[in-house]
Amino acid sequence: MADDKIVQTAINTIRTLSMDAVQEAKSGHPGTPMALAPLVYTLWNRVMRFDPQDPIWPNRDRFVLSNGHASMLLWSVLHLTGTRAVNADYERMGLPSVSLDDIRRFRQLESKAPGHPEYHWVSGVETTTGPLGQGVATSVGMGIGQKWLANRYNRPGFAIFDYNIYAVCGDGCMMEGVASEAASLAAHLGLDNLCWVYDNNHITIEGDTRTTFTEDVGTRFLGYGWNVLRVGDANDIDRIQHALGVFRKTKGRPTFIILDSHIGYGAPHKQDTAAAHGEPLGEEECRLTKRYYGWPEDAKFLVPDGVYEHFAAGVGARGAQARRQWTDLFAAYRAEYPELATEIDQMQRRELPAGWDRNLPVFPADPKGIAGRDASSKVLNILAQNIPWFLGGSADLGPSNKTTLTYEGAGDFQADSPGGKNLHFGIREHAMAAIVNGLSLSKLRAFGATFFIFSDYARPAIRLSALMELPTIFIFTHDAMGDGEDGPTHQPVEHLASLRAIPGLVTLRPGDANEVVEAYRCIMQLRHEPAVLALSRQPLPTLDRSKYGPASGVAHGAYVLADAPGGNPEVILIATGSEVSLAAQAHEELVAEGIRSRVVSMPSWEIFDRQTQAYRDSVLPPGVTARVAVEQASTFGWERYVGASGHIIGMRTFGASAPLKELQRKFGFEPDRVAAAAKELLGRA
Ligand SMILES: Cc1ncc(C[n+]2csc(CCOP(=O)(O)OP(=O)(O)O)c2C)c(N)n1
Ligand SMILES: [Mg+2]
């Protein structure tokens, strides 16, 4: 076949596979894949360095489909390029990542062609997308990650990391705030490894964007400081290729390509209409569209002769060669820089370096104590020195979160200092969380920080970190009413409950400085789960561990801190965070009155829930039903630990603005009140 002919056939294969899959599934989004097939073809087959034989090769170019509803683009191209599957142990499998059968079973149970791109479910997906805006925001994290990796690991003659990141997005992504936050930061940081292609089709679900979206997107991106290009015809692959070439030559700023396209391209009745967005075209319209493409009208899931070979000769050959060269380069690099090569190996497998936890502090007993955020600061500064690829930052609250790394040489990450370990996200919590995900997808170990109350602003990306099974770390300080005078706008109430509700997310609310250390020890060993650390603003007494149970109990999620004589309690006080020492005080009062009480410190529900039944029963003996839970947060959910006859001291309102002492009195967080609740349960009030 002549070159032009096979190119067109390859593009139309992407289109028709997408149409057929949506038609067969009776659901999905055909129009955008039909419009963007030429873009995806050009990117993959002509530009990207990606080896389908090894989709996790560290120096591959990254492709992010931020308009995740157009997932059939990705399934088509992963299939046509013969991309191979990788298992959870990072082993390359001989099997295809997405088979034609998966595409026939688009959106069905177990198919490797699900509704939206799912990282962890389908090899070759770089990040989960679907919630619009997340993909592009995450791609900024990938851009920062590449810069950081290049700075640390590249050496003269050894460009170990020189990959680019391509993200495709639509009107929805452009309207979402998170994309704006991320775009602003990407330009500030001069991420010239980052290219977004904007599918400017003027269509969203409710119809023409005249009803909602009339801003000048190009001017907006110019204002951010991006290199803005335009390709006026989404079918013009030479112009697309040219624009991508301009991107690759542009230094010092990211590139934004506005691509004018026609949703549902070629469908006689549906092109340029919202009807092409999210429903099957219909059998008749499919036939007519195929006729327009010069395709056999009744063929379904057709991959014409020569198409697989064409992709093999394009991205396949280029990717294989690039990976071979890189592998040779890396072997020579390993000989010359064995320590750095080992670091890269460890990062790729999400392992920790030897000695990662050396010098972690042990805090002496101290009734005045230290704030959770201050203990955290000490731990972070040690971990960041022990683990070269551990980095992070705050959304403009570094001085309050105490997350700034202050040791000699930690440095700030900026355009002209891409080796810095202190990231400055600005007041962009949502983008921060997506960027931390992007860093994690780049195999760095990253944290983001803000006040606990503003975790809401980051929640969609936190949820995705759990869905993607990424070991990202979210450090949230001012975890309760500790900054009392700021009042209800700054007092988290339902945040713990709502984060505990996210499957796979590990929350930890440590009760004193030594629990903070142990919480980090747990978190750092997570490889496939994100963690939220809720830390106090105010000092918490450092408990005397010669008297109380050891803080290493944090590793079990909950543990017996103080017990009744003979380990035979009649009432159990369960507390987290700042309420642990409060419960310990109440315990002393009860003991003085001859009541056999036990205190359980429960920094993490999730970790406790996965302990053996025997362990859980040893901490919360089923026979002891008099139980009091104390937590300066919504009472929601504590019933599961205190049972029907238990008592919960928590929040049922938004709090108030007043000094902390007064708030503690008003809302019942005082030792007497906890002791009184226990006595009432025992009928000894
Ligand atoms: C955060 C979020 N809000 C809403 C949706 C539902 N949704 C999916 S696609 C879409 C329209 C997107 O329009 P556009 O990005 O222009 O996509 P096109 O139809 O042009 O492909 C909407 C509202 C979503 N996926 N994510
Ligand atoms: Mg659109």
Side-chain angles (χ1 to χ4, degrees):
M1 257 191 267
D3 196 45
D4 280 1
K5 177 111 192 291
I6 185 67
V7 168
Q8 210 46 55
T9 303
I11 290 170
N12 286 335
T13 307
I14 297 174
R15 288 177 165 140
T16 52
L17 282 178
S18 303
M19 290 157 52
D20 290 341
V22 173
Q23 194 65 32
E24 182 71 25
K26 301 191 182 65
S27 85
H29 304 76
T32 304
M34 291 158 74
L36 298 185
L39 167 71
V40 166
Y41 168 83
T42 310
L43 245 177
W44 280 67
N45 217 35
R46 293 193 171 173
V47 176
M48 270 171 48
R49 279 182 311 174
F50 175 87
D51 183 0
Q53 297 301 319
D54 185 358
I56 59 169
W57 160 50
N59 198 34
R60 68 192 181 279
D61 285 339
R62 275 29 173 206
F63 175 78
V64 173
L65 190 69
S66 195
N67 46 353
H69 55 278
S71 59
M72 269 312 304
L73 275 173
L74 196 46
W75 309 146
S76 302
V77 79
L78 287 175
H79 172 67
L80 296 173
T81 55
T83 298
R84 303 282 111 181
V86 177
N87 71 11
D89 296 321
Y90 311 108
E91 292 164 339
R92 293 132 190 90
M93 315 298 282
L95 306 166
S97 159
V98 178
S99 69
L100 198 54
D101 202 47
D102 288 316
I103 290 177
R104 286 181 200 275
R105 300 187 57 258
F106 178 47
R107 294 181 158 239
Q108 308 308 306
L109 213 53
E110 301 300 326
S111 169
K112 293 290 180 183
H116 289 82
E118 303 269 5
Y119 179 78
H120 246 272
W121 178 241
V122 191
S123 307
V125 174
E126 299 285 5
T127 182
T128 294
T129 52
L132 297 169
Q134 288 296 329
V136 281
T138 303
S139 76
V140 174
M142 296 177 181
I144 294 171
Q146 189 279 334
K147 289 282 181 192
W148 193 91
L149 290 167
N151 180 273
R152 178 165 179 89
Y153 296 107
N154 290 359
R155 289 292 182 274
F158 291 102
I160 299 300
F161 294 106
D162 64 353
Y163 59 89
N164 289 314
I165 300 103
Y166 299 92
V168 177
C169 54
D171 298 301
C173 290
M174 286 301 104
M175 287 190 236
E176 291 291 353
V178 68
S180 304
E181 296 178 16
S184 166
L185 188 58
H188 169 76
L189 293 174
L191 299 180
D192 50 20
N193 53 4
L194 183 64
C195 178
W196 290 3
V197 182
Y198 164 41
D199 174 28
N200 182 35
N201 65 8
H202 293 283
I203 291 291
T204 65
I205 291 177
E206 292 190 8
D208 196 294
T209 51
R210 272 187 305 236
T211 55
T212 52
F213 194 50
T214 46
E215 71 184 35
D216 182 336
V217 178
T219 301
R220 172 177 145 206
F221 274 73
L222 281 172
Y224 290 143
W226 288 57
N227 172 36
V228 177
L229 307 174
R230 184 163 203 144
V231 174
D233 175 3
N235 287 316
D236 190 338
I237 58 178
D238 292 332
R239 297 297 294 275
I240 292 172
Q241 191 173 351
H242 177 76
L244 294 169
V246 172
F247 153 64
R248 296 207 294 173
K249 288 197 218 73
T250 300
K251 296 289 160 235
R253 56 201 169 133
T255 291
F256 187 74
I257 301 174
I258 303 171
L259 182 70
D260 297 334
S261 83
H262 297 281
I263 194 167
Y265 172 77
H269 305 102
K270 296 204 167 170
Q271 178 179 315
D272 295 322
T273 73
H277 164 87
E279 62 193 34
L281 294 178
E283 292 291 349
E284 182 57 16
E285 187 79 352
C286 274
R287 251 194 298 278
L288 294 172
T289 308
K290 285 176 185 167
R291 182 187 298 173
Y292 178 81
Y293 296 155
W295 206 254
E297 286 178 30
D298 292 315
K300 292 228 167 117
F301 300 102
L302 173 67
V303 181
D305 288 347
V307 170
Y308 292 120
E309 292 78 1
H310 181 67
F311 280 102
V315 61
R318 195 179 53 253
Q321 195 198 8
R323 176 164 69 101
R324 234 182 351 259
Q325 281 172 356
W326 186 88
T327 307
D328 293 346
L329 186 74
F330 193 59
Y333 180 83
R334 187 186 298 284
E336 212 161 313
Y337 306 102
E339 284 91 10
L340 293 180
T342 300
E343 285 184 17
I344 293 170
D345 293 342
Q346 289 174 324
M347 288 170 68
Q348 296 303 315
R349 293 193 298 265
R350 299 204 183 281
E351 292 167 358
L352 293 164
W356 66 272
D357 61 349
R358 67 174 171 256
N359 303 332
L360 285 181
V362 175
F363 293 90
D366 175 3
K368 280 222 311 292
I370 166 172
R373 57 178 174 155
D374 287 315
S376 161
S377 167
K378 294 200 186 334
V379 178
L380 279 175
N381 273 282
I382 289 163
L383 288 173
Q385 293 177 76
N386 291 348
I387 306 167
W389 56 94
F390 181 72
L391 77 177
S394 168
D396 201 47
L397 289 170
S400 296
N401 299 141
K402 307 283 172 86
T403 45
T404 307
L405 302 171
T406 50
Y407 66 88
E408 176 77 33
D412 292 323
F413 184 95
Q414 289 291 349
D416 56 1
S417 57
K421 301 245 276 184
N422 284 298
L423 302 176
H424 297 280
F425 296 103
I427 305 137
R428 304 179 180 99
E429 296 82 7
H430 195 178
M432 171 177 75
I435 287 169
V436 170
N437 287 347
L439 289 164
S440 187
L441 290 161
S442 314
K443 301 293 174 84
L444 295 166
R445 202 65 200 276
F447 66 85
T450 182
F451 288 155
F452 196 23
I453 189 84
F454 303 130
S455 61
D456 280 343
Y457 275 49
R459 185 179 172 87
I462 297 173
R463 180 176 195 276
L464 280 185
S465 73
L467 180 54
M468 289 193 271
E469 302 182 12
L470 299 177
T472 46
I473 302 168
F474 301 101
I475 302 172
F476 297 134
T477 69
H478 300 57
D479 67 341
M481 293 192 294
D483 63 348
E485 293 87 342
D486 273 337
T489 58
H490 281 55
Q491 289 162 7
V493 173
E494 73 283 17
H495 300 71
L496 269 171
S498 82
L499 291 167
R500 285 169 178 155
I502 296 180
L505 177 67
V506 175
T507 64
L508 285 141
R509 185 169 183 252
D512 78 345
N514 289 307
E515 281 199 9
V516 171
V517 177
E518 296 308 313
Y520 273 109
R521 204 189 297 278
C522 291
I523 289 171
M524 295 313 295
Q525 294 177 76
L526 299 173
R527 292 173 71 215
H528 300 293
E529 292 149 298
V532 159
L533 193 54
L535 298 169
S536 76
R537 167 189 188 258
Q538 76 278 21
L540 305 179
T542 306
L543 298 170
D544 180 354
R545 298 288 168 170
S546 66
K547 180 170 161 203
Y548 294 115
S552 56
V554 171
H556 299 291
Y559 64 101
V560 178
L561 186 78
D563 210 357
N568 178 28
E570 58 189 318
V571 62
I572 304 176
L573 312 178
I574 313 170
T576 81
S578 44
E579 286 65 68
V580 171
S581 51
L582 169 67
Q585 280 174 274
H587 169 80
E588 303 300 341
E589 288 185 21
L590 292 170
V591 169
E593 294 182 42
I595 292 173
R596 287 179 288 119
S597 103
R598 164 183 287 189
V599 179
V600 169
S601 173
M602 188 183 265
S604 176
W605 287 15
E606 298 84 4
I607 297 176
F608 182 65
D609 286 352
R610 56 177 88 138
Q611 304 303 307
T612 62
Q613 183 76 47
Y615 178 78
R616 282 180 284 139
D617 287 351
S618 76
V619 175
L620 299 176
V624 186
T625 56
R627 301 179 182 184
V628 181
V630 203
E631 186 174 67
Q632 246 181 51
S634 166
T635 56
F636 189 93
W638 273 106
E639 302 81 1
R640 69 167 64 185
Y641 299 111
V642 301
S645 47
H647 186 86
I648 307 165
I649 299 176
M651 296 299 295
R652 290 174 172 82
T653 67
F654 289 107
S657 171
L660 176 61
K661 274 253 163 300
E662 286 176 42
L663 293 175
Q664 286 168 332
R665 188 171 322 125
K666 177 172 169 60
F667 294 105
F669 297 99
E670 292 181 319
D672 295 0
R673 311 272 283 276
V674 177
K679 284 189 278 188
E680 198 174 314
L681 287 180
L682 293 172
R684 291 166 60 178

